Amino acid sequence: MTTLNRSEILFVYDARDCNPNGNPIGDNRPRRDPDTGHGIITDVRLKRYLRDQLQDDGFGIYVKKLNGESRTRTALVKDVLDGVDDADDLEEINDVGDEFLNTATDVRYFGATLSFEKSDNKADEEFRTALNSVFPNNYQGPVQFLPAKSLNVVEENEEYDSLTSVISTGEENRQGGFDLDDKRIKYGIFPFWGLVDNNGAESTKLSETDVSRLDTLCWRALKNQTTSRSKLGQQPRLYVRVEYQEKDYHLGGLQELIELSDSSADSLRSINDVVIDVTALVDSLGHRADRIDTIHLVGDDRLTLEVGDETIRGDELGMHLEGQGHNVHEIDVIEERDLAA
C-alpha cells in the first residue's frame, strides 16, 4: 500500500502574445471570465502538457492519440497492455490492474475512466466484458488542479485576430486567400492550485518518486510543450509544493494568497511589468510551520516578488522561507530531471 504525505501545489506561469487555452466552442478565442475579464486556463490544458512531457520522457500514457488520431478506450488499453488483444490474453496476466497502473503513468497521477464501449462483434464484446470484470469504472486521480484564473484582466490582441494568408494554388496558378484563427492575448499571469491527495494515492499506487517527479515535470512541460505557433510565449515563473507532515491536512487555496502588487504596471505586457505580493502566502506558511514537512520550490529570477516591505527575486523565495525556519528543498530542474527517466 502506498503511503505518502499530502502536498499542495502553487504553480504560476505567464503567457505573452499567445493563446494559452482556446475555447473550441467559442471560435477558439482565449478563455476569459465574461464578468471579470480575467483569463482562464483549464486543468485539462495543464494536464495535457504534463501528459505530453511524460510521454516525451519515455513513460507509458493511457490518455493520448494513437498515430495522431483519437481512439476508443478499448484501443487505448490495448496499447498500454502491449500484446493483449482478446479476453484470453487478459487471463494470462496475473494482476491486470497492477500491470496497467505500472505502465499508464498518467493514470497514477490523474486517474481515468475505464468503462468500455459495446460492440456487435462477438469477440470484441467478450473482450469488453473481460475488461469490465478486471477494471473499476474509473480510477480517481490523486493529483488534481483547479482551473487557473489570471491575476490580471487580460486583453485580446486584435492585431492577430484576422490574419489573412495568401497562397498560390499550383493547379490553376493563381492566388487565393484564407483567414487564420489567430486569436491571442496580450499578457496574462496564471496561478494554478493543485492537491496531491495521500488517500487517493493508494488506489492508483502513486509513489513518492511519482510525486517528486512533479517537481521538475511541471516546469519542464511548460518549457518543452508550448513550442507550437499559438502556444509559444508561455513561461513557468514559480512552483511551490508544500509537503505536510500531518495526515489529511492542507492549508488550501494557496492561489488566493498571492495577488498583484500595487507596484505592478497599470497594463501588463511582460514579466518585467509584474510584481506579485506573496506576503499572505509567506505569513500563512509561517503560521502552520509545525504542520509542514518540506517546501519544495523553484522560482524564476526574472519574477519580482514582494514580501512585506521587502522586494526579492523569484529565485530568492526559498532563501527567504529558510530564514523563516522552514525546511526548504530548492529544486534544480536540470539536475533533478533524472527523476523523470
Side-chain angles (χ1 to χ4, degrees):
M1 179 178 293
T2 301
T3 57
L4 48 81
N5 295 333
R6 179 170 293 188
S7 290
E8 62 181 323
I9 294 171
L10 174 67
F11 182 38
V12 181
Y13 67 84
D14 65 354
R16 176 184 180 183
D17 293 327
C18 63
N19 187 346
N21 193 189
N23 186 349
I25 61 173
D27 200 24
N28 201 40
R29 290 191 176 280
R31 295 171 190 264
R32 284 194 296 181
D33 185 313
D35 297 323
T36 67
H38 288 250
I40 296 172
I41 302 177
T42 67
D43 57 312
V44 175
R45 176 65 271 181
L46 175 59
K47 288 177 182 175
R48 186 70 267 160
Y49 290 144
L50 299 179
R51 283 189 170 96
D52 289 346
Q53 186 61 48
L54 284 169
Q55 191 167 17
D56 284 358
D57 289 338
F59 288 92
I61 298 299
Y62 172 64
V63 180
K64 62 179 180 297
K65 291 184 177 179
L66 296 175
N67 298 321
E69 297 179 1
S70 298
R71 301 295 180 87
T72 64
R73 294 190 184 110
T74 302
L76 293 174
V77 82
K78 282 183 178 179
D79 184 71
V80 171
L81 299 174
D82 187 30
V84 171
D85 286 320
D86 55 34
D88 291 338
D89 290 336
L90 281 179
E91 293 182 357
E92 296 179 4
I93 300 176
N94 183 41
D95 191 321
V96 177
D98 276 358
E99 182 77 13
F100 178 76
L101 289 172
N102 285 338
T103 305
T105 309
D106 60 330
V107 178
R108 295 204 301 274
Y109 286 108
F110 310 128
T113 298
L114 291 165
S115 56
F116 299 96
E117 60 283 350
K118 292 184 177 180
S119 173
D120 293 331
N121 180 284
K122 182 180 178 182
D124 288 346
E125 184 60 14
E126 287 178 352
F127 185 52
R128 184 186 77 88
T129 301
L131 287 172
N132 284 334
S133 69
V134 297
F135 284 116
N137 285 335
N138 67 81
Y139 286 110
Q140 180 172 320
V143 179
Q144 297 295 338
F145 291 92
L146 281 182
K149 283 192 176 182
S150 62
L151 296 177
N152 61 311
V153 174
V154 301
E155 303 170 60
E156 190 171 320
N157 196 333
E158 302 295 338
E159 294 301 315
Y160 292 113
D161 193 23
S162 183
L163 176 65
T164 299
S165 178
V166 178
I167 61 173
S168 172
T169 59
E171 183 176 340
E172 299 181 7
N173 194 27
R174 60 187 176 84
Q175 289 193 322
F178 58 91
D179 289 332
L180 297 175
D181 288 332
D182 196 5
K183 301 174 176 62
R184 308 184 184 207
I185 62 171
K186 293 180 179 178
Y187 185 81
I189 186 156
F190 298 85
F192 275 93
W193 176 78
L195 183 69
V196 183
D197 178 33
N198 49 308
N199 297 310
E202 297 174 3
S203 64
T204 67
K205 302 183 184 302
L206 187 78
S207 68
E208 291 185 19
T209 300
D210 289 330
V211 176
S212 296
R213 186 178 299 116
L214 279 172
D215 294 341
T216 68
L217 185 71
C218 289
W219 200 272
R220 291 183 306 109
L222 258 293
K223 288 283 190 181
N224 299 331
Q225 305 302 327
T226 59
T227 57
S228 66
R229 184 170 180 271
S230 65
K231 294 290 183 284
L232 191 66
Q234 299 177 80
Q235 292 289 340
R237 300 301 182 185
L238 182 65
Y239 173 92
V240 180
R241 178 167 68 85
V242 183
E243 179 183 356
Y244 297 95
Q245 58 180 323
E246 187 168 326
K247 185 179 180 182
D248 298 345
Y249 176 82
H250 66 278
L251 274 170
L254 299 185
Q255 83 283 18
E256 297 167 348
L257 298 174
I258 65 173
E259 61 182 358
L260 282 177
S261 165
D262 292 339
S263 302
S264 297
D266 291 336
S267 296
L268 305 185
R269 292 293 180 266
S270 77
I271 192 64
N272 298 326
D273 299 326
V274 174
V275 180
I276 296 180
D277 187 340
V278 297
T279 304
L281 174 67
V282 171
D283 287 348
S284 291
L285 295 176
H287 293 154
R288 298 292 181 269
D290 58 332
R291 294 178 173 175
I292 296 172
D293 183 282
T294 305
I295 298 176
H296 309 262
L297 178 148
V298 59
D300 187 352
D301 59 5
R302 289 173 290 179
L303 174 64
T304 303
L305 302 175
E306 203 170 79
V307 191
D309 296 331
E310 187 177 357
T311 299
I312 61 175
R313 299 194 313 260
D315 62 341
E316 296 174 330
L317 181 58
M319 185 169 56
H320 185 92
L321 291 170
E322 276 187 331
Q324 301 289 315
H326 292 286
N327 180 33
V328 175
H329 163 217
E330 298 258 16
I331 301 163
D332 188 320
V333 174
I334 301 302
E335 291 296 323
E336 297 179 35
R337 64 185 170 186
D338 287 345
L339 282 172

